[in-house]
Amino acid sequence: MQRLMLVEDDARLAALIKEYLEEYDYQVDVVTRGDQALARFRQNLPDLVILDLTLPGVDGLVICRELRQLTAIPILILTAREDSFDEVSGLEQGADDYVNKPVQPRVLLARLRALQRRGHAVSGTDLVFGQLRISSENRTVFWRGEEIAMNSAEFKLFAILAKAAGKVMSRNDILVRMRGIEFDGLDRSIDNCVSRLRRKFDDGTAERIKTVWGEGYLFSPSAWE
């Protein structure tokens, strides 16, 4: 089940979208105010976002920009605004798609599914992001057609981040999954391992494995073309 955050102040429309998408295995969390969106995002870490532009509290374009600084998950703008300037602005602020109201529910569903396919594909036990392929079964990683050598800890960390693509993983979450222990505030092994992984993928600018200051690390699903 995919977790979706719907930021929409029209209660009737939000209820209709929620009811329809939940029939297709989406878990929909409705947020009715722009100034509540970021806090709710950090709380629930959804897999994708549908975002209105005209919202009480904070404008949707501002939310879009701030969300994109936190995450690489798909963001679809759904709005009654028809000005091409708003569409261009939305895409420049980091939205992946822009849909005008009114929209048929089946069309909205198709656009969401297309965004998810674009983000990453899962084939058997493999995770595929652009030119990156991670095989959990064989414990191998191929990048641009070449196998990337990794030790056990590096592969385990890389796979943990990739399986949570688009979401921030805290050091505590990573350590619990890797070793079953909690972060004590001093252990730098995760940071050191991330540094080694970045060198393996020429990620000196930290675009593929992002640092979210004060929170942890984020694997960007769209940075592996």
Side-chain angles (χ1 to χ4, degrees):
M1 179 172 287
Q2 296 290 304
R3 295 191 301 268
L4 183 148
M5 185 173 76
L6 171 61
V7 189
E8 172 60 65
D9 65 331
D10 184 328
R12 180 176 177 276
L13 177 60
L16 289 172
I17 293 174
K18 176 180 173 69
E19 181 180 2
Y20 183 82
L21 293 181
E22 286 183 343
E23 293 180 2
Y24 293 89
D25 293 328
Y26 287 88
Q27 179 181 324
V28 181
D29 178 35
V30 176
V31 182
T32 58
R33 294 186 56 88
D35 50 7
Q36 297 172 351
L38 289 180
R40 190 75 66 85
F41 175 85
R42 291 189 176 98
Q43 178 183 347
N44 295 334
L45 295 177
D47 300 300
L48 61 163
V49 173
I50 298 176
L51 177 64
D52 189 12
L53 291 185
T54 306
L55 295 163
V58 177
D59 185 77
L61 288 175
V62 175
I63 298 167
C64 184
R65 181 177 66 248
E66 293 180 346
L67 281 174
R68 186 50 77 219
Q69 292 172 353
L70 293 175
T71 180
I73 67 170
I75 300 173
L76 182 148
I77 288 178
L78 178 64
T79 181
R81 296 185 191 176
E82 297 183 356
D83 193 325
S84 60
F85 175 80
D86 287 319
E87 180 173 359
V88 171
S89 296
L91 296 173
E92 287 180 342
Q93 296 302 330
D96 298 283
D97 201 356
Y98 190 101
V99 178
N100 288 113
K101 300 174 183 176
V103 61
Q104 292 292 326
R106 64 180 182 275
V107 174
L108 179 62
L109 176 63
R111 300 289 278 267
L112 290 173
R113 287 176 168 173
L115 287 179
Q116 290 176 279
R117 288 194 300 270
R118 190 186 309 169
H120 70 276
V122 180
S123 175
T125 59
D126 292 359
L127 290 172
V128 180
F129 303 86
Q131 299 186 62
L132 175 73
R133 180 180 293 272
I134 306 168
S135 173
S136 297
E137 181 177 357
N138 300 322
R139 298 180 69 81
T140 55
V141 177
F142 285 86
W143 167 236
R144 293 175 175 168
E146 296 185 5
E147 184 172 0
I148 304 298
M150 293 186 184
N151 62 33
S152 179
E154 290 166 349
F155 179 85
K156 186 176 291 188
L157 172 58
F158 195 59
I160 287 170
L161 292 173
K163 288 176 182 177
K167 300 178 185 177
V168 179
M169 294 288 291
S170 69
R171 292 172 179 82
N172 187 72
D173 290 340
I174 293 170
L175 278 171
V176 168
R177 296 192 186 193
M178 287 186 69
R179 304 181 199 164
I181 62 174
E182 295 188 351
F183 182 55
D184 61 7
L186 301 174
D187 190 332
R188 311 311 298 173
S189 61
I190 298 301
D191 302 320
N192 294 335
C193 195
V194 167
S195 295
R196 295 197 302 272
L197 289 171
R198 285 174 173 159
R199 288 195 293 272
K200 291 176 186 289
F201 295 101
D202 298 322
D203 191 22
T205 57
E207 291 299 316
R208 300 187 175 100
I209 303 176
K210 297 178 179 290
T211 298
V212 181
W213 297 109
E215 296 188 43
Y217 294 104
L218 181 148
F219 181 102
S220 175
S222 59
W224 301 91
E225 299 299 331

